[in-house]
């Protein structure tokens, strides 16, 4: 499996884990996701959940550490700090399950960044 394919599998696992986290409304949609959703709505077709722009996964170098950036919109009513900690833990666990690398915070483990882009 190529590095790009592995990155895609890791990203999909992180997306699922983040969306399953209580307090997360949705991932930040990118421009392409917004345009695709708009076109589907005009045709009367159900839109698919946007999320690819909300999770960015890369490796610093082949065999290096994973870097994951997550951009989320959260529901009001829960403490933002608690939800972002849960999102970070869920993303780290998802990366570990796919790659077999531990999510312990030690060198050689994924670097997870969570950015809250809004509240609904």
């Amino acid at each position: 499996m190529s590095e790009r394919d592995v990155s895609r599998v890791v990203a999909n696992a992180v997306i699922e884990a983040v969306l399953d986290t209580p307090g997360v409304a949705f991932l930040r949609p990118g421009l392409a996701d917004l345009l695709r959703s708009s076109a589907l709505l005009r045709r009367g077709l159900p839109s698919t959940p946007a999320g690819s722009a909300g999770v960015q996964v890369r490796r610093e170098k082949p065999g290096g550490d994973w870097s994951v950036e997550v951009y989320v919109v959260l529901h009001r009513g829960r403490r933002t700090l608690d939800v972002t900690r849960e999102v970070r833990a869920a993303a780290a666990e998802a990366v570990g399950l796919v790659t077999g690398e531990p999510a312990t915070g030690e060198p050689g483990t994924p670097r997870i960044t969570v950015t809250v882009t809004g509240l609904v």
Side-chain angles (χ1 to χ4, degrees):
M1 190 180 291
S2 74
E3 188 77 22
R4 185 178 214 166
D5 291 338
V6 173
S7 292
R8 187 172 298 131
V9 171
V10 170
N12 288 336
V14 170
I15 288 169
E16 287 183 34
V18 169
L19 291 175
D20 286 343
T21 304
V24 172
F26 53 89
L27 295 168
R28 177 196 71 186
L31 181 59
D33 297 320
L34 292 172
L35 292 173
R36 180 175 50 245
S37 294
S38 175
L40 289 172
L41 288 175
R42 278 196 304 269
R43 292 185 193 139
L45 301 172
S47 63
T48 56
S52 58
V55 173
Q56 298 173 4
V57 175
R58 65 182 169 278
R59 263 192 139 146
E60 302 305 323
K61 57 185 176 187
D65 295 343
W66 288 97
S67 175
V68 178
E69 296 176 18
V70 179
Y71 299 91
V72 292
V73 176
L74 304 180
H75 289 291
R76 293 183 192 271
R78 292 205 54 206
R79 214 172 124 200
T80 302
L81 178 62
D82 293 338
V83 177
T84 56
R85 285 179 177 161
E86 292 172 21
V87 166
R88 187 177 187 283
E93 183 178 347
V95 173
L97 288 173
V98 172
T99 64
E101 298 172 11
T104 60
E106 298 172 4
T109 60
R111 182 177 61 85
I112 313 289
T113 304
V114 179
T115 303
V116 177
T117 61
L119 299 172
V120 292

